[in-house]
Structure formats: C-alpha cells, structure tokens
Amino acid sequence: MTGKIDFQPKLFSTLRHYSAERFKDDLVAGVVVGIVALPLAIAFGIASGVSPTIGLITAIIGGFLVSAFGGNSVQIGGPTGAFIVIVYSIIQNFGITGLAVATVMAGLILVLLGMFHLGTVIKFIPYPIVVGFTSGIALTIFSTQINDFLGLGLTNVPGDFISKWGIYFSNLGNVDFYTVLVGIVSLVIITATPLISKKLPGSLIAIIVVTAATFMLERFLPGFNVETIGDRFGALSTDIPAPQGFEFTMNSVNLLLPSAFTIAILCAIESLLSATVADGVTGSRTNSNTELIGQGIANIVVPFFGGIPVTGAIARTMTNITNGGRTPVAGIVHTLVLLLIFLFMMPLINMVPMSCLAAVLIVVAYNMSGWRTVVGIMHSPKSDVSVLVVTFLLTVIFDLTIAIEIGLLLAIILFLRRVMENTQIRVYSEQLDAAEGSDTTLHEVLDVAKGVEVYEIDGPFFFGVATKFDEIMRSSMSEKPVVRIIRMRRVPFIDATGVHNLELLVRSSQKLGIHVVLSGVSEQVHNVLSKAGIEDLVGADHVCDHITRAVIMANRIAESSARHNTL
C-alpha cells in the first residue's frame, strides 16, 4: 500500500456546502431515476434467478450505500445486466448461499483494491476486453429471455448457450401467440417512447400500459392468458428482510473465489467506466479508490439482506445527470422512491406480464451489445480484434469467469509484447552522442576507447526486457571487452528479474575480468539496486550519474589494461 487509505466519500464533502436550491434539483432527479430504476431492478432480479423482491432490495440498500460511500457525485448503484450471467450461474451451481459468500468476498476484494490505490489501474483494462465480454453478456441475456418472450413454457432450460438454443428450436411449436403479442407491443412502446420524449422511461411506460391492457383483456377476451410475475412467484413480500448470516468455510471460499474475483473485476470496470462517462458530462472528478471502497461496502452488506451484486449503472447515472442530479443526495432520493414503491405498490407489480419484462431485458441487451463499437474495433490491429473475439466467444460459449481470466491474461501478454517491442536496446562502440534522443540542440560526441562496449536500455527493465538484453549482449560480442557500460537514463523502473539478470551479468563479467559501469541511473532504480546489493557488487565508484563520466572512467580502465598487456 502506498500512502494512507484514500477514502473520501463525495457525500460528506457535498453536505458541507449544500443548499435548498441544490436539494430541489436532486429531489427531481432522484424521483425520476427511482421510477426508471424500478422496472430494471425487477427485471434484473428475475433474470438473475432470484425474485423481483430481491432485485428491489438490492437497488434500495446497495444503491443507498453506493451513494453514501462512493467517490462519484452522481453515480447510481444497483443491480445491472452485466451480472445476470454470472449470478445465474453461481445460483445454479452453489445456490443462494453460495452467491452470498461470493458477493461478500467480491466486496472485500473491491475494498482492498481501493485501499491499495488500484482504482486508476482498473481503468486501464484494455477496451477490446471490456467490449468483448459486454457484447457476450448482451447476447447471453438475450438468449435467456426467449423462453418468456415466446411463451414456450420451458421449466428446465439448459444453462449453456448452444444447448439452450437447441431446446428453443425444438420447441418452437409451443409458441404462445398472446405472449408474443404482449412482448412485441412492449418492444414497440419501449423503442418508440424516446421518439416522443427522451426523458420518459420507455420501460416503465411499457410496463404500465401493457399491464393495464392485459388486465382488461383477461377479463373481456375469452382465452386470453399470459403469465405474470404473480403467477410465477406468488404474492410478493412487502417486508424488508431481516439481516441473516451464512457460513464461510475454506471449502466454499476455495470454490467461490474465482466467481468472487469475476464479480469484483466486473463491478470495478463497470463502476469506473460509468464514473468516467459521468465525469466527462459533469466536469467533476471521481476518486477512483473511494469509489471502489464504496462499491465494496455495498457488496459486503447487501448479501446479508438476500441481495445480489451491486455496481454503478451507466444508464441510470446518465438519467440522473440529465435530470439535474449533481450530488449523492439524488442517488439517496432514488433509493427512498424505490423503498416507497416496495412498501406500498408490490401488489400491482404482481400483475406485470413476464413477456413484458423479457422485452425490457431484450432492449437492455441490445443497448449493451455495442455492435457499432464492435464493428469499429474490427478495423483495429489484429491483436485487439483477437482479444475481442476470444473474450466474446468465451463469454457466450463457456463462462464469464473464464472469459475475464483469459481475457486479462491475453491483455497482459499483449501489453508485455508491446512494451518489449517499444523498449530499445542500443549498442555503441568507438563513438557515442551523449545527447542522442534528448531535446537538447547541444550534442557532445564522446570517443569510446577500444575494449569498451556501451549498452543503452530505453524503457522499463522488467523480466521480458531482461532476457532480450541478455540475448543482444551475447550476440553483439565480437571479442571479450574490457569494460561494459550499461546506460540506464531511460529506465523508469526495474523488477526482480531485471535485478537478478543484472546481478548475473555483473558476476559473470567480473569472472571474465570485465568491468561493469552503470550510467544515468535514476533515483528510484538506484534505490532498488542499492537494496539488492548491486551497487556494492560493481562498486559505488562504478555507478555514474552521467554518461560522460562513465565513458571517461571506462576509457581510462581500457587504456590502462591495454598498456598492461603490452608490457
């Protein structure tokens, strides 16, 4: 950990200069966001394999904690579509208790990421990976909604993508006309609403209109019948569940750690992506480390109330911004709106058709797919395209956990490859321009005596480059030199492998009677070499702050050796 814990929730700083005028704007924005979040919380809860009640509980408690302890002023937290696949998979394999354990562990991981100041690092996860698994999740969400949208009535739908579609195609004869009609009407309303007003929540309008229409048709049209939330889940509870514990065992921790890691990384990426988008619109600045800690707190607490993973939601956050929300108070208001709906309007939610919710999620999946972005990346370098395609296919065909792990591994490999390609190692003999590669117009050409070899490393000296340096040094040796100068003015850091290889080089050179001189070592690298004993190994006088001094020393040693050999 570097420095003190960076935990400065935006809510606390906001309240110091809060005003009635600001509260009015936050109140309006919070009410609108609460209304927009209602159908999404219900739909995400059901699609994740839990009840709509759990979806709302997650939005209420998790959303409150994200706003109270997060590092972004306008972030709206709650369940999101990105988690549907992983949550559903965990419940299928480990049950609700397994999901709770995984979510708490994910929360702890997020808190640790924030405490160790890794918030800014998460932002640099390659974009093709984010697009790849987001598009994969979108396609998976779409595939999970076909059963409800078509009214196939399947009760044991396979979890894997290919088998699922095989079952769908073999049961197309069971399509229910009225269910499909309700779904299509819902889609039309959701997509047409923004054409009338971008501020109207299309999903909520669709739910209200379609629910009212189906309620009337069931009473006046014989044979009209579509499955509703109440039909599938029974009467929904209006009581906030009491906190409940669950058992942690080493076996469950070992089994669920990969899933917890996936939830944490997904939450970090989505939350910080949402925060970055919000910053671009509002001009504010997110404290990434505080945001991760706030997200972690929410994910630690929510499972004790039966909730599912929480993260920042881009669509709801943007709705908050466009309606005037500028402080975390708007996010807290949105959770209070959801709480009031939960306490007093749950009987009405029982009447919502399942095919209408399926339509809501199909639109969510389409918006998540980012197909235009995918098309754009297809014109990028082949390495980016390959990362996107591999991550997408792994997400769809196998598992999101595998997709993220392999996607990150691919990204690291490609990053190391690019660093190695950009890290140059130059070899000089006879003459050297001390100012080469700098902005100065004054050039100092140094004469390098025979028997002196100069190796300049331009870039970080980590394990990959250390091996590359060793290979170049061996291949460039025509005859045994007297002095090797290793110029390190452009080495920003050195890792343990670099230190180890440098130590081996020094020791092997000294055995052969070759002097090693280090030049232009930065303070940070110097400290590392000093602690590792490299400075003592080469001799403090052989560590020079400038190439001119290093060349003068090396020339003197080479000339002395030449005179000695002629005697």
Side-chain angles (χ1 to χ4, degrees):
M1 188 186 304
T2 56
K4 63 180 181 179
I5 296 175
D6 187 14
F7 184 54
Q8 304 171 51
K10 289 287 186 179
L11 177 64
F12 301 162
S13 59
T14 297
L15 293 178
R16 295 193 194 109
H17 309 286
Y18 205 60
S19 65
E21 190 66 28
R22 174 54 61 201
F23 176 70
K24 187 191 301 181
D25 294 336
D26 286 340
L27 179 64
V28 172
V31 170
V32 173
V33 176
I35 293 171
V36 170
L38 174 65
L40 297 176
I42 294 170
F44 292 148
I46 293 173
S48 298
V50 297
S51 71
T53 301
I54 295 301
L56 279 173
I57 291 295
T58 302
I60 293 167
I61 299 176
F64 175 84
L65 293 172
V66 167
S67 294
F69 298 109
N72 183 277
S73 299
V74 293
Q75 184 85 280
I76 301 295
T80 65
F83 286 103
I84 289 175
V85 179
I86 185 65
V87 170
Y88 187 85
S89 174
I90 294 172
I91 292 174
Q92 291 294 306
N93 294 315
F94 305 104
I96 294 294
T97 301
L99 175 64
V101 172
T103 306
V104 170
M105 288 197 296
L108 292 172
I109 292 171
L110 286 166
V111 170
L112 290 174
L113 288 175
M115 290 175 62
F116 282 89
H117 296 205
L118 295 175
T120 52
V121 175
I122 297 293
K123 290 183 178 181
F124 295 110
I125 289 180
Y127 194 51
I129 289 183
V130 177
V131 174
F133 67 65
T134 302
S135 300
I137 290 168
L139 181 56
T140 306
I141 291 172
F142 172 76
S143 69
T144 62
Q145 299 310 303
I146 299 302
N147 184 31
D148 288 337
F149 189 82
L150 299 180
L152 299 178
L154 301 173
T155 54
N156 294 311
V157 180
D160 66 285
F161 182 82
I162 297 174
S163 299
K164 186 187 276 104
W165 279 96
I167 291 292
Y168 289 158
F169 285 122
S170 62
N171 285 272
L172 286 178
N174 298 328
V175 171
D176 182 77
F177 172 75
Y178 289 128
T179 300
V180 175
L181 181 63
V182 168
I184 292 174
V185 171
S186 300
L187 279 177
V188 171
I189 294 173
I190 295 170
T191 54
T193 300
L195 301 177
I196 301 170
S197 172
K198 293 192 179 295
K199 291 193 174 183
L200 289 174
S203 55
L204 184 65
I205 300 296
I207 286 176
I208 293 172
V209 172
V210 171
T211 300
T214 54
F215 177 79
M216 298 298 293
L217 288 171
E218 284 181 350
R219 277 148 184 77
F220 297 105
L221 180 64
F224 183 91
N225 182 52
V226 295
E227 186 182 24
T228 65
I229 290 176
D231 294 334
R232 181 172 297 184
F233 296 98
L236 300 176
S237 171
T238 59
D239 297 325
I240 297 287
Q244 53 188 358
F246 38 86
E247 185 179 3
F248 278 87
T249 65
M250 282 307 299
N251 184 49
S252 63
V253 169
N254 289 334
L255 286 173
L256 290 162
L257 188 57
S259 298
F261 175 78
T262 301
I263 293 173
I265 293 298
L266 198 57
C267 177
I269 292 172
E270 188 166 7
S271 296
L272 295 182
L273 179 62
S274 173
T276 301
V277 172
D279 287 348
V281 176
T282 63
S284 60
R285 184 182 177 190
T286 297
N287 184 317
S288 300
N289 298 314
T290 298
E291 183 64 22
L292 290 182
I293 295 174
Q295 297 286 342
I297 291 171
N299 282 286
I300 291 171
V301 173
V302 162
F304 290 97
F305 294 89
I308 59 179
V310 178
T311 186
I314 295 178
R316 277 160 274 176
T317 298
M318 290 306 297
T319 301
N320 182 30
I321 294 171
T322 55
N323 284 278
R326 288 297 180 273
T327 78
V329 174
I332 292 173
V333 170
H334 123 272
T335 65
L336 296 177
V337 171
L338 290 175
L339 177 62
L340 292 174
I341 294 172
F342 177 79
L343 294 175
F344 301 110
M345 297 182 65
M346 288 304 278
L348 296 176
I349 292 173
N350 286 324
M351 300 163 60
V352 177
M354 292 300 299
S355 58
C356 180
L357 286 182
V360 170
L361 285 170
I362 287 172
V363 173
V364 168
Y366 174 81
N367 292 333
M368 280 184 67
S369 67
W371 63 269
R372 293 181 181 85
T373 303
V374 173
V375 171
I377 291 179
M378 287 301 170
H379 299 292
S380 299
K382 290 181 180 179
S383 58
D384 290 335
V385 175
S386 63
V387 169
L388 185 151
V389 171
V390 168
T391 309
F392 174 81
L393 291 176
L394 288 173
T395 302
V396 173
I397 298 174
F398 294 101
D399 181 83
L400 184 60
T401 301
I402 295 173
I404 288 183
E405 290 172 350
I406 294 181
L408 289 175
L409 180 61
L410 277 174
I412 291 170
I413 292 171
L414 290 172
F415 169 75
L416 293 178
R417 193 181 109 188
R418 285 171 179 168
V419 171
M420 287 181 63
E421 288 174 349
N422 292 326
T423 299
Q424 298 180 347
I425 300 174
R426 303 184 187 91
V427 184
Y428 298 94
S429 60
E430 296 184 0
Q431 281 193 333
L432 167 69
D433 185 349
E436 182 181 348
S438 64
D439 294 332
T440 181
T441 56
L442 298 175
H443 294 276
E444 180 185 2
V445 179
L446 304 174
D447 291 321
V448 179
K450 184 178 180 181
V452 177
E453 291 181 345
V454 182
Y455 299 89
E456 178 165 12
I457 305 170
D458 187 354
F461 194 14
F462 67 105
F463 59 91
V465 176
T467 304
K468 179 180 178 181
F469 172 68
D470 186 58
E471 292 173 352
I472 289 177
M473 187 192 70
R474 292 179 187 279
S475 64
S476 66
M477 282 177 51
S478 55
E479 59 183 55
K480 188 180 81 169
V482 178
V483 185
R484 287 174 175 151
I485 298 175
I486 302 176
R487 194 179 189 189
M488 305 176 72
R489 59 173 178 161
R490 296 183 183 276
V491 177
F493 72 87
I494 184 169
D495 72 351
T497 306
V499 170
H500 177 67
N501 279 29
L502 186 58
E503 181 182 357
L504 291 179
L505 168 65
V506 173
R507 290 188 184 279
S508 62
S509 297
Q510 290 176 344
K511 283 183 180 179
L512 296 171
I514 302 171
H515 294 260
V516 176
V517 177
L518 304 181
S519 167
V521 182
S522 68
E523 183 178 354
Q524 181 181 348
V525 174
H526 194 171
N527 290 336
V528 174
L529 297 181
S530 179
K531 290 177 182 178
I534 301 296
E535 184 177 23
D536 294 334
L537 187 62
V538 299
D541 60 327
H542 280 46
V543 180
C544 304
D545 60 355
H546 196 272
I547 188 63
T548 302
R549 294 186 180 89
V551 170
I552 291 172
M553 174 187 288
N555 287 348
R556 189 183 305 125
I557 295 172
E559 290 165 1
S560 175
S561 176
R563 285 196 302 270
H564 177 75
N565 291 334
T566 57
L567 293 177

